[in-house]
Amino acid sequence: MLFTAFLLGLAAFSIYRVIIQAFYTVKPNERAVLTSLGRAERLDGQLVSDLELTEEERARYRFPRLRVVGPGGPYFKWPWQDVHKVDVATQALDLTWDPTKRQNTIEAVTKDNLTTGVNGQIRFRVSEANLYPFIFGVADPLQHVMGYFIAVLRERIANFSDPKGQRLLASADASEAQGDVVGPDLSEGVSINDLRKNLPLLNEYMEQQCLTTGHRYGIELEAALITQIDPPPEVDRALSAINSTRNQVAADISTARADAEQQITMSKRAVDIAMNKAQAEVAPLKELAETLVHIKAQGGDAALRAYVRNMRIPLLRRARRIVQTTGTAS
């Protein structure tokens, strides 16, 4: 009886192991890799290559290409084979995700020693062309990639400078060297304000830095979305006051410039009006001088004296008193 029960149990186990578990299916969002006695099936010694890596990194990350089982089924496998299924759909994950601890934000220090809290998300997917490091490379590849991403993010925040502000400061230095007056709007900004104004630039930098994660860890980063960078509350209130003061100063400067431009425009118009009046007064004198020159040229001194005598008659009629010196009776 014991021997018969043993044989029946062995037969049931063989049927379950060889027949029932010999078939498997792969979902549309999954890819599968078969291992025979623990070794994955490879593609004739082919290696995964990435031009983004340096020569030293290429020598370090030499991963073979695996034979990937696509969606469908049922597929057959032998009892000594195991199936490793991987979800290749795009997934989103918060930056605060960490299986080892619970946290509400990621702390990062700016270049002016201000501790900030960073929040956001990343979108990623498993690299179908490089499944070896994801399945066999590290124990928890997602946690490894998140640690790499946060390390790069902290390094970028610690050294971040506003490109526009740097160009303005360079222009300010050049103007000071030439002796020009530099406006107050060219002053260097605060790092937290620069980061908030350049979040798209920061996200683009993170995506560029994580282009090699697909070759290193088998996870491709599709997008990085850093949505919030907040300083401590007391620092935030101080920054709000600073920003309000700067906005007020900028508004006052704009008003002063507008008033100055208006005064300059009015002064230019007044000068134009005075010049027009002066030209109007000078024009008859110029015309009279040209007339006298023409009379003298045509008739000589006698004609000129006759013209002057005739022009005195209306003036003498309008005069109330005439003062005549001796010797001018003629």
Side-chain angles (χ1 to χ4, degrees), residues 14-87:
S14 300
I15 293 173
Y16 174 77
R17 181 67 177 174
V18 177
I19 299 178
I20 298 178
Q21 285 194 341
F23 297 95
Y24 65 95
T25 59
V26 180
K27 298 179 181 179
N29 62 318
E30 291 180 341
R31 300 295 182 270
V33 174
L34 284 177
T35 58
S36 299
L37 299 177
R39 188 178 188 276
E41 297 183 1
R42 312 184 182 193
L43 295 178
D44 299 332
Q46 298 181 18
L47 297 178
V48 179
S49 61
D50 190 350
L51 298 178
E52 298 292 336
L53 297 179
T54 62
E55 293 296 335
E56 188 270 337
E57 290 175 339
R58 292 178 187 176
R60 183 190 308 172
Y61 301 102
R62 293 175 58 86
F63 298 120
R65 289 187 177 274
L66 304 181
R67 189 178 71 85
V68 180
V69 180
Y75 299 106
F76 176 81
K77 70 177 184 65
W78 296 104
W80 56 85
Q81 292 181 324
D82 292 325
V83 180
H84 299 269
K85 297 180 182 180
V86 176
D87 189 357

Coordinates of all heavy atoms in Angstrom, one line a residue, residues 14-87:
S14 N 4.5 13.9 -11.7 CA 5.0 13.9 -13.0 C 4.1 14.5 -14.0 O 4.4 15.3 -14.9 CB 5.4 12.5 -13.4 OG 6.4 12.0 -12.5
I15 N 2.8 14.2 -13.8 CA 1.8 14.7 -14.7 C 1.7 16.2 -14.5 O 1.6 17.0 -15.5 CB 0.4 14.0 -14.5 CG1 0.5 12.5 -14.9 CG2 -0.7 14.7 -15.2 CD1 -0.8 11.8 -14.5
Y16 N 1.7 16.7 -13.3 CA 1.6 18.1 -13.0 C 2.8 18.9 -13.5 O 2.7 19.9 -14.1 CB 1.4 18.3 -11.5 CG 1.4 19.8 -11.1 CD1 0.3 20.6 -11.3 CD2 2.5 20.4 -10.5 CE1 0.3 21.9 -11.0 CE2 2.6 21.7 -10.1 CZ 1.4 22.5 -10.4 OH 1.5 23.8 -10.0
R17 N 4.0 18.3 -13.3 CA 5.2 19.0 -13.6 C 5.5 18.9 -15.1 O 5.9 19.9 -15.7 CB 6.4 18.3 -12.9 CG 7.7 18.9 -13.1 CD 7.8 20.3 -12.5 NE 9.1 20.9 -12.6 CZ 9.4 22.2 -12.3 NH1 8.4 23.0 -11.9 NH2 10.6 22.6 -12.5
V18 N 5.3 17.8 -15.7 CA 5.7 17.6 -17.1 C 4.6 18.0 -18.1 O 4.8 18.6 -19.1 CB 6.0 16.1 -17.4 CG1 6.4 15.9 -18.8 CG2 7.2 15.7 -16.5
I19 N 3.3 17.8 -17.7 CA 2.2 18.1 -18.7 C 1.6 19.4 -18.4 O 1.5 20.3 -19.3 CB 1.2 16.9 -18.7 CG1 1.9 15.6 -19.1 CG2 0.0 17.2 -19.6 CD1 1.0 14.4 -19.0
I20 N 1.1 19.6 -17.1 CA 0.3 20.8 -16.8 C 1.2 22.0 -16.9 O 0.9 23.0 -17.5 CB -0.4 20.6 -15.5 CG1 -1.4 19.4 -15.5 CG2 -1.1 21.9 -15.1 CD1 -2.1 19.2 -14.2
Q21 N 2.4 22.0 -16.2 CA 3.3 23.1 -16.1 C 4.2 23.2 -17.4 O 5.0 24.2 -17.4 CB 4.1 23.1 -14.9 CG 3.4 23.4 -13.6 CD 4.3 23.7 -12.5 OE1 5.5 23.3 -12.5 NE2 3.9 24.4 -11.4
A22 N 4.0 22.4 -18.3 CA 4.9 22.4 -19.5 C 4.4 23.5 -20.5 O 5.1 23.8 -21.4 CB 4.9 21.0 -20.2
F23 N 3.2 23.9 -20.3 CA 2.6 24.9 -21.2 C 2.4 26.3 -20.5 O 2.1 26.3 -19.3 CB 1.3 24.4 -21.8 CG 1.4 23.2 -22.6 CD1 1.2 21.9 -22.0 CD2 1.7 23.2 -23.9 CE1 1.3 20.8 -22.7 CE2 1.9 22.1 -24.7 CZ 1.6 20.8 -24.1
Y24 N 2.7 27.3 -21.2 CA 2.6 28.7 -20.6 C 2.2 29.6 -21.7 O 2.4 29.4 -22.9 CB 3.9 29.1 -19.9 CG 5.0 29.3 -20.9 CD1 5.3 30.6 -21.4 CD2 5.8 28.2 -21.3 CE1 6.4 30.7 -22.3 CE2 6.9 28.4 -22.2 CZ 7.1 29.7 -22.7 OH 8.2 29.8 -23.6
T25 N 1.6 30.7 -21.3 CA 1.2 31.8 -22.2 C 1.9 33.1 -21.8 O 2.3 33.3 -20.7 CB -0.3 32.0 -22.2 OG1 -0.7 32.3 -20.9 CG2 -1.0 30.7 -22.7
V26 N 2.0 34.0 -22.8 CA 2.6 35.3 -22.6 C 1.6 36.4 -22.9 O 1.0 36.4 -24.0 CB 3.9 35.5 -23.4 CG1 4.5 36.9 -23.1 CG2 4.9 34.4 -23.1
K27 N 1.3 37.3 -22.0 CA 0.3 38.4 -22.2 C 0.8 39.4 -23.2 O 2.0 39.5 -23.5 CB -0.1 39.0 -20.9 CG -0.7 38.1 -19.9 CD -1.0 38.9 -18.6 CE -1.6 37.9 -17.6 NZ -1.9 38.7 -16.3
P28 N -0.1 40.2 -23.8 CA 0.4 41.2 -24.8 C 1.4 42.2 -24.3 O 2.2 42.7 -25.0 CB -0.9 41.9 -25.2 CG -2.0 40.9 -25.0 CD -1.5 40.1 -23.8
N29 N 1.3 42.5 -23.0 CA 2.2 43.5 -22.4 C 3.4 42.8 -21.7 O 4.2 43.5 -21.0 CB 1.5 44.3 -21.3 CG 0.9 43.5 -20.2 OD1 0.4 42.4 -20.4 ND2 1.1 44.0 -19.0
E30 N 3.6 41.6 -22.0 CA 4.7 40.8 -21.4 C 5.7 40.3 -22.4 O 5.3 40.1 -23.6 CB 4.2 39.7 -20.5 CG 3.4 40.1 -19.3 CD 2.9 38.9 -18.5 OE1 2.8 37.8 -19.1 OE2 2.6 39.0 -17.3
R31 N 6.9 40.0 -22.0 CA 7.9 39.3 -22.7 C 8.5 38.2 -21.8 O 8.6 38.4 -20.6 CB 9.0 40.2 -23.3 CG 8.5 41.3 -24.2 CD 7.9 40.7 -25.5 NE 7.5 41.8 -26.4 CZ 6.3 42.4 -26.4 NH1 5.3 41.9 -25.5 NH2 6.0 43.4 -27.2
A32 N 8.9 37.1 -22.4 CA 9.3 36.0 -21.6 C 10.7 35.5 -22.0 O 11.1 35.7 -23.2 CB 8.4 34.8 -21.7
V33 N 11.5 35.0 -21.1 CA 12.8 34.5 -21.3 C 12.9 33.1 -20.7 O 12.5 32.9 -19.5 CB 13.9 35.4 -20.8 CG1 15.3 34.8 -20.9 CG2 13.9 36.8 -21.5
L34 N 13.4 32.1 -21.5 CA 13.5 30.8 -21.0 C 15.0 30.6 -20.5 O 15.9 31.0 -21.1 CB 13.2 29.8 -22.1 CG 11.7 29.5 -22.4 CD1 11.6 28.6 -23.6 CD2 11.0 29.1 -21.2
T35 N 15.1 29.8 -19.4 CA 16.4 29.4 -18.8 C 16.4 27.9 -18.7 O 15.4 27.3 -18.2 CB 16.6 30.1 -17.4 OG1 15.6 29.7 -16.5 CG2 16.7 31.6 -17.5
S36 N 17.5 27.3 -19.2 CA 17.7 25.9 -19.1 C 18.7 25.6 -18.0 O 19.9 26.0 -18.2 CB 18.1 25.3 -20.4 OG 17.1 25.5 -21.4
L37 N 18.3 25.0 -16.9 CA 19.2 24.7 -15.8 C 19.8 26.0 -15.3 O 21.0 26.1 -14.9 CB 20.2 23.7 -16.1 CG 19.7 22.3 -16.6 CD1 20.8 21.4 -17.0 CD2 18.9 21.7 -15.4
G38 N 19.0 27.1 -15.3 CA 19.5 28.4 -14.8 C 20.2 29.3 -15.8 O 20.5 30.4 -15.5
R39 N 20.5 28.8 -17.0 CA 21.2 29.6 -18.0 C 20.2 30.0 -19.1 O 19.4 29.2 -19.6 CB 22.3 28.8 -18.7 CG 23.2 29.6 -19.6 CD 24.3 28.8 -20.1 NE 25.3 29.5 -20.9 CZ 25.2 29.9 -22.1 NH1 24.1 29.5 -22.8 NH2 26.1 30.6 -22.7
A40 N 20.1 31.4 -19.3 CA 19.2 31.9 -20.3 C 19.6 31.6 -21.7 O 20.8 31.4 -22.0 CB 19.1 33.4 -20.1
E41 N 18.6 31.4 -22.6 CA 18.9 31.1 -24.0 C 19.4 32.4 -24.7 O 18.7 33.4 -24.7 CB 17.6 30.6 -24.7 CG 17.2 29.3 -24.1 CD 16.0 28.7 -24.8 OE1 15.5 29.4 -25.8 OE2 15.4 27.7 -24.4
R42 N 20.5 32.3 -25.3 CA 21.1 33.5 -25.9 C 21.1 33.4 -27.5 O 20.8 32.4 -28.0 CB 22.6 33.7 -25.5 CG 22.7 33.5 -23.9 CD 24.1 33.8 -23.4 NE 24.1 33.6 -22.0 CZ 25.1 34.0 -21.2 NH1 26.2 34.6 -21.7 NH2 25.0 33.8 -19.9
L43 N 21.4 34.5 -28.1 CA 21.4 34.6 -29.6 C 22.8 34.5 -30.1 O 23.4 35.6 -30.4 CB 20.7 35.9 -30.0 CG 19.2 36.0 -29.7 CD1 18.7 37.4 -30.2 CD2 18.4 34.9 -30.3
D44 N 23.4 33.4 -30.3 CA 24.6 33.1 -31.0 C 25.7 34.1 -30.5 O 26.5 34.6 -31.3 CB 24.4 33.2 -32.5 CG 23.4 32.2 -33.0 OD1 23.3 31.1 -32.4 OD2 22.8 32.5 -34.0
G45 N 25.9 34.3 -29.3 CA 26.9 35.2 -28.7 C 26.9 36.6 -29.0 O 27.8 37.4 -28.9
Q46 N 25.7 37.1 -29.5 CA 25.5 38.6 -29.8 C 25.5 39.3 -28.4 O 24.9 38.9 -27.4 CB 24.3 38.8 -30.5 CG 24.2 38.1 -31.9 CD 22.9 38.4 -32.7 OE1 22.2 39.4 -32.3 NE2 22.7 37.6 -33.7
L47 N 26.1 40.6 -28.5 CA 26.1 41.4 -27.3 C 25.4 42.7 -27.6 O 25.3 43.2 -28.7 CB 27.6 41.8 -27.0 CG 28.5 40.6 -26.6 CD1 29.9 41.1 -26.3 CD2 28.0 39.9 -25.4
V48 N 24.8 43.3 -26.5 CA 24.1 44.5 -26.6 C 25.1 45.7 -26.7 O 26.0 45.7 -25.8 CB 23.1 44.7 -25.5 CG1 22.4 46.0 -25.6 CG2 22.1 43.6 -25.4
S49 N 25.0 46.6 -27.6 CA 25.9 47.7 -27.7 C 25.1 49.0 -27.7 O 23.9 49.1 -28.1 CB 26.7 47.6 -29.0 OG 25.8 47.7 -30.1
D50 N 25.8 50.1 -27.2 CA 25.2 51.4 -27.0 C 26.3 52.4 -27.3 O 27.3 52.5 -26.6 CB 24.5 51.6 -25.6 CG 23.7 52.8 -25.6 OD1 23.8 53.6 -26.5 OD2 23.0 53.0 -24.6
L51 N 26.0 53.3 -28.3 CA 27.0 54.3 -28.6 C 27.1 55.4 -27.6 O 28.1 56.2 -27.6 CB 26.7 54.9 -30.0 CG 26.7 53.9 -31.2 CD1 26.3 54.6 -32.5 CD2 28.1 53.3 -31.3
E52 N 26.1 55.5 -26.7 CA 26.1 56.6 -25.7 C 27.1 56.3 -24.6 O 27.5 57.2 -23.8 CB 24.7 56.7 -25.1 CG 23.7 57.2 -26.0 CD 23.8 58.6 -26.5 OE1 24.5 59.4 -25.8 OE2 23.3 58.9 -27.6
L53 N 27.6 55.0 -24.5 CA 28.5 54.7 -23.4 C 29.9 54.9 -23.8 O 30.3 54.9 -25.0 CB 28.3 53.2 -23.1 CG 27.0 52.7 -22.5 CD1 27.0 51.2 -22.3 CD2 26.7 53.5 -21.2
T54 N 30.8 55.2 -22.8 CA 32.2 55.3 -23.1 C 32.9 54.0 -23.3 O 32.2 52.9 -23.0 CB 32.9 56.1 -21.9 OG1 32.7 55.3 -20.7 CG2 32.2 57.5 -21.7
E55 N 34.1 54.0 -23.7 CA 34.8 52.7 -23.9 C 34.9 51.9 -22.6 O 34.8 50.7 -22.6 CB 36.2 53.0 -24.5 CG 36.2 53.6 -25.9 CD 35.6 52.6 -26.9 OE1 35.7 51.4 -26.6 OE2 35.1 53.0 -27.9
E56 N 35.2 52.6 -21.5 CA 35.3 52.0 -20.2 C 34.0 51.4 -19.8 O 33.9 50.3 -19.2 CB 35.8 53.0 -19.1 CG 36.2 52.4 -17.8 CD 35.0 52.3 -16.8 OE1 34.0 53.2 -17.0 OE2 35.0 51.5 -15.9
E57 N 32.9 52.1 -20.0 CA 31.5 51.6 -19.7 C 31.1 50.4 -20.6 O 30.5 49.5 -20.1 CB 30.5 52.7 -19.8 CG 30.7 53.8 -18.7 CD 29.7 54.9 -18.9 OE1 29.3 55.1 -20.0 OE2 29.5 55.6 -17.9
R58 N 31.5 50.5 -21.8 CA 31.2 49.3 -22.7 C 31.9 48.1 -22.3 O 31.3 47.0 -22.4 CB 31.6 49.7 -24.2 CG 30.8 50.8 -24.8 CD 31.3 51.1 -26.2 NE 30.7 52.3 -26.8 CZ 30.9 52.8 -27.9 NH1 31.9 52.3 -28.7 NH2 30.3 53.9 -28.3
A59 N 33.1 48.2 -21.8 CA 33.8 47.0 -21.3 C 33.2 46.5 -20.0 O 33.2 45.3 -19.7 CB 35.3 47.3 -21.1
R60 N 32.6 47.4 -19.2 CA 32.0 46.9 -18.0 C 30.6 46.3 -18.2 O 30.3 45.3 -17.6 CB 31.9 48.1 -17.0 CG 31.3 47.8 -15.7 CD 31.0 49.1 -14.9 NE 32.1 50.0 -14.8 CZ 32.0 51.2 -14.3 NH1 30.9 51.7 -13.9 NH2 33.1 52.0 -14.3
Y61 N 29.8 46.9 -19.0 CA 28.4 46.5 -19.3 C 28.4 45.7 -20.6 O 27.9 46.2 -21.6 CB 27.4 47.6 -19.3 CG 27.4 48.5 -18.0 CD1 28.1 49.7 -18.0 CD2 26.8 48.0 -16.9 CE1 28.1 50.5 -16.8 CE2 26.8 48.8 -15.7 CZ 27.5 50.0 -15.7 OH 27.5 50.7 -14.6
R62 N 28.9 44.5 -20.5 CA 28.8 43.6 -21.7 C 27.8 42.5 -21.4 O 28.0 41.5 -20.7 CB 30.2 42.9 -21.9 CG 31.3 43.9 -22.3 CD 32.6 43.2 -22.4 NE 32.6 42.1 -23.3 CZ 32.8 42.2 -24.6 NH1 33.0 43.4 -25.2 NH2 32.8 41.1 -25.4
F63 N 26.5 42.7 -22.0 CA 25.4 41.8 -21.7 C 25.1 41.1 -23.0 O 25.0 41.7 -24.1 CB 24.2 42.6 -21.2 CG 24.5 43.3 -19.9 CD1 24.3 44.7 -19.8 CD2 24.8 42.6 -18.8 CE1 24.6 45.3 -18.5 CE2 25.0 43.2 -17.5 CZ 24.9 44.5 -17.4
P64 N 24.7 39.8 -22.9 CA 24.4 39.1 -24.1 C 22.9 39.4 -24.5 O 22.1 39.7 -23.7 CB 24.6 37.6 -23.7 CG 24.3 37.6 -22.2 CD 24.8 39.0 -21.7
R65 N 22.6 39.2 -25.8 CA 21.3 39.3 -26.3 C 20.6 37.9 -26.0 O 21.1 36.9 -26.3 CB 21.2 39.6 -27.8 CG 21.6 41.0 -28.1 CD 21.4 41.3 -29.6 NE 21.7 42.7 -29.9 CZ 20.9 43.7 -29.7 NH1 19.6 43.5 -29.3 NH2 21.3 45.0 -30.0
L66 N 19.3 38.0 -25.5 CA 18.6 36.8 -25.2 C 17.5 36.6 -26.2 O 17.0 37.5 -26.9 CB 18.0 37.0 -23.8 CG 18.9 37.3 -22.6 CD1 18.1 37.4 -21.3 CD2 20.0 36.3 -22.5
R67 N 17.1 35.3 -26.3 CA 16.0 34.9 -27.1 C 14.7 35.3 -26.4 O 14.4 34.7 -25.3 CB 16.0 33.5 -27.5 CG 15.0 33.1 -28.5 CD 15.1 31.6 -28.9 NE 14.6 30.8 -27.8 CZ 13.3 30.4 -27.6 NH1 12.4 30.9 -28.5 NH2 13.0 29.6 -26.6
V68 N 13.9 36.2 -26.9 CA 12.8 36.7 -26.2 C 11.5 36.0 -26.8 O 11.4 36.0 -28.0 CB 12.7 38.2 -26.4 CG1 11.4 38.8 -25.6 CG2 13.9 38.9 -25.8
V69 N 10.7 35.5 -25.9 CA 9.4 34.9 -26.4 C 8.3 36.0 -26.4 O 8.1 36.7 -25.3 CB 9.0 33.8 -25.4 CG1 7.7 33.1 -25.9 CG2 10.1 32.7 -25.4
G70 N 7.7 36.2 -27.5 CA 6.7 37.3 -27.6 C 5.4 36.9 -27.1 O 5.1 35.7 -26.6
P71 N 4.4 37.8 -27.2 CA 3.0 37.5 -26.7 C 2.4 36.3 -27.5 O 2.6 36.2 -28.7 CB 2.3 38.8 -26.9 CG 3.3 39.8 -27.1 CD 4.5 39.1 -27.7
G72 N 1.6 35.6 -26.8 CA 0.9 34.4 -27.5 C 0.9 33.2 -26.6 O 1.1 33.2 -25.4
G73 N 0.8 32.1 -27.3 CA 0.8 30.8 -26.6 C -0.4 29.9 -27.0 O -1.2 30.3 -27.8
P74 N -0.4 28.8 -26.4 CA 0.5 28.3 -25.3 C 1.8 27.8 -25.9 O 1.9 27.3 -27.0 CB -0.3 27.1 -24.7 CG -1.2 26.7 -25.8 CD -1.6 27.9 -26.6
Y75 N 2.9 28.0 -25.1 CA 4.2 27.6 -25.5 C 4.6 26.4 -24.6 O 4.1 26.2 -23.5 CB 5.2 28.7 -25.3 CG 5.0 29.9 -26.1 CD1 4.5 31.1 -25.6 CD2 5.3 29.9 -27.5 CE1 4.2 32.2 -26.4 CE2 5.0 31.0 -28.3 CZ 4.5 32.2 -27.7 OH 4.3 33.3 -28.5
F76 N 5.5 25.6 -25.1 CA 5.9 24.4 -24.4 C 7.3 24.6 -23.8 O 8.2 25.2 -24.5 CB 5.9 23.1 -25.3 CG 6.4 21.9 -24.7 CD1 5.6 21.1 -23.8 CD2 7.7 21.5 -24.9 CE1 6.1 20.0 -23.2 CE2 8.2 20.3 -24.3 CZ 7.4 19.6 -23.5
K77 N 7.5 24.1 -22.6 CA 8.9 24.1 -22.0 C 9.1 22.7 -21.3 O 8.2 22.1 -20.9 CB 9.0 25.2 -21.1 CG 8.2 25.1 -19.8 CD 8.4 26.2 -18.8 CE 7.7 26.0 -17.5 NZ 8.2 24.8 -16.8
W78 N 10.4 22.4 -21.2 CA 10.7 21.2 -20.5 C 10.8 21.4 -19.0 O 10.8 22.5 -18.6 CB 12.1 20.7 -21.0 CG 12.1 20.3 -22.5 CD1 12.6 21.0 -23.5 CD2 11.5 19.1 -23.1 NE1 12.5 20.4 -24.7 CE2 11.8 19.2 -24.5 CE3 10.9 18.0 -22.5 CZ2 11.3 18.2 -25.3 CZ3 10.4 17.0 -23.4 CH2 10.7 17.1 -24.8
P79 N 10.7 20.3 -18.3 CA 10.7 20.5 -16.8 C 11.9 21.2 -16.3 O 11.9 21.8 -15.2 CB 10.6 19.0 -16.3 CG 10.0 18.3 -17.5 CD 10.5 18.9 -18.7
W80 N 13.1 21.0 -16.9 CA 14.3 21.7 -16.4 C 14.4 23.1 -16.9 O 15.4 23.8 -16.6 CB 15.5 20.9 -16.9 CG 15.6 20.7 -18.4 CD1 16.1 21.6 -19.3 CD2 15.2 19.6 -19.1 NE1 16.0 21.1 -20.5 CE2 15.4 19.8 -20.5 CE3 14.5 18.4 -18.7 CZ2 15.1 18.9 -21.5 CZ3 14.2 17.5 -19.7 CH2 14.5 17.7 -21.1
Q81 N 13.4 23.6 -17.5 CA 13.4 25.0 -18.0 C 12.4 25.8 -17.1 O 11.4 25.4 -16.6 CB 12.9 25.1 -19.4 CG 13.9 24.5 -20.4 CD 13.4 24.7 -21.9 OE1 12.3 24.6 -22.2 NE2 14.4 24.9 -22.8
D82 N 12.8 27.1 -16.9 CA 12.0 28.0 -16.2 C 11.7 29.2 -17.1 O 12.4 29.6 -18.0 CB 12.7 28.5 -14.9 CG 12.9 27.4 -13.9 OD1 12.0 26.6 -13.8 OD2 14.0 27.4 -13.2
V83 N 10.5 29.9 -16.8 CA 10.0 31.0 -17.6 C 10.1 32.3 -16.7 O 9.6 32.3 -15.6 CB 8.6 30.8 -18.1 CG1 8.1 32.0 -18.9 CG2 8.5 29.6 -18.9
H84 N 10.8 33.3 -17.2 CA 10.9 34.6 -16.5 C 10.1 35.6 -17.4 O 10.5 36.0 -18.5 CB 12.3 35.0 -16.4 CG 13.1 34.1 -15.6 ND1 13.3 34.2 -14.2 CD2 13.8 33.0 -16.0 CE1 14.1 33.2 -13.8 NE2 14.4 32.5 -14.8
K85 N 8.9 36.0 -16.8 CA 8.1 37.0 -17.6 C 8.4 38.4 -17.0 O 8.5 38.6 -15.8 CB 6.6 36.6 -17.4 CG 6.3 35.3 -17.9 CD 4.8 35.0 -17.7 CE 4.4 33.6 -18.3 NZ 3.0 33.3 -18.1
V86 N 8.3 39.4 -18.0 CA 8.6 40.8 -17.7 C 7.6 41.6 -18.3 O 7.2 41.4 -19.5 CB 10.0 41.2 -18.2 CG1 10.3 42.7 -17.9 CG2 11.1 40.3 -17.5
D87 N 7.0 42.6 -17.5 CA 6.1 43.6 -18.0 C 6.8 44.7 -18.8 O 7.6 45.4 -18.2 CB 5.2 44.1 -16.9 CG 4.1 44.9 -17.4 OD1 3.9 45.1 -18.6 OD2 3.3 45.4 -16.5

